[in-house]
């Protein structure tokens, strides 16, 4: 949300889905509750787009149907869809998704974050960056980039 011209000045917005109500078992530490796609979606839906004052859910960048997870296999796979095929913020969005999950879920989970197939012209390069732990760690050592990620995650 800097002063530069927006790549997608008029993105299509959708209404956010209602917050899921937690039942009493959700707060009981004695009850085992498997991680599911909706729980992961709820973690990610409020992340702000780096270019627009909207959430990734409102921009349909993150969708519950593009998240798969298996609690028994300890795996989480998130696919996201940039608003335009040449979005220069796609890597930053993916990094924000990955960081939010790394900070929010158990370390036993293997987390994969990638661009939805066919949704970006640099899909392979972005997915390679997001899938490389060393590249992600190096990116997060950059204070300016880490500030951008944190502002997407927490900057409401």
């Amino acid at each position: 949300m800097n002063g530069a011209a927006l790549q997608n000045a008029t993105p299509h917005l959708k209404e956010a889905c209602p917050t899921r109500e937690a039942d009493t078992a959700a707060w009981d530490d004695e009850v085992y509750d498997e991680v599911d796609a909706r729980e992961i979606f709820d973690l990610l839906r409020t992340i702000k787009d780096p270019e627009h004052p909207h959430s990734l859910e409102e921009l349909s960048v993150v969708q519950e149907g593009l998240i798969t997870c298996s609690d028994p296999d300890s795996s989480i796979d998130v696919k996201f869809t940039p608003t335009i095929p040449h979005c220069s913020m796609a890597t930053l969005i993916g990094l924000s998704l990955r960081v939010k999950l790394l900070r929010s879920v158990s370390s036993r989970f293997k987390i994969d974050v990638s661009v939805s197939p066919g949704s970006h012209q640099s899909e392979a390069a972005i997915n390679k960056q997001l899938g490389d732990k060393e590249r992600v760690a190096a990116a997060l050592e950059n204070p300016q980039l880490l500030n951008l990620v944190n502002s997407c995650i927490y900057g409401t």
Side-chain angles (χ1 to χ4, degrees), residues 8-151:
N8 184 4
T10 56
H12 173 73
L13 298 177
K14 76 171 194 92
E15 189 173 327
C17 64
T19 304
R20 181 167 55 167
E21 295 296 323
D23 59 10
T24 54
W27 299 105
D28 186 349
D29 290 336
E30 302 298 318
V31 176
Y32 181 74
D33 180 27
E34 285 195 6
V35 175
D36 61 13
R38 179 58 193 258
E39 185 173 354
I40 300 303
F41 176 71
D42 285 342
L43 287 171
L44 302 176
R45 65 192 275 193
T46 59
I47 294 175
K48 296 296 180 195
D49 182 83
E51 195 174 39
H52 296 283
H54 303 290
S55 72
L56 296 184
E57 177 189 19
E58 291 170 319
L59 293 167
S60 297
V61 172
V62 173
Q63 302 168 41
E64 184 179 354
L66 296 177
I67 298 171
T68 56
C69 60
S70 171
D71 196 271
D73 295 335
S74 300
S75 66
I76 298 170
D77 181 63
V78 175
K79 301 213 179 323
F80 68 97
T81 307
T83 59
I84 52 176
H86 56 279
C87 176
S88 64
M89 299 291 170
T91 304
L92 177 59
I93 291 168
L95 188 58
S96 298
L97 294 168
R98 177 175 283 287
V99 168
K100 176 69 175 190
L101 289 172
L102 289 171
R103 292 177 182 174
S104 303
V105 300
S106 170
S107 61
R108 74 179 172 90
F109 282 95
K110 180 184 182 309
I111 298 168
D112 289 313
V113 175
S114 59
V115 175
S116 300
S119 67
H120 198 280
Q121 65 189 19
S122 300
E123 174 186 334
I126 293 169
N127 289 344
K128 183 176 181 178
Q129 288 180 317
L130 294 174
D132 186 327
K133 289 180 184 179
E134 287 82 21
R135 286 186 188 194
V136 170
L140 296 176
E141 288 177 4
N142 178 322
Q144 289 83 16
L145 188 53
L146 183 58
N147 283 340
L148 280 172
V149 168
N150 284 334
S151 68

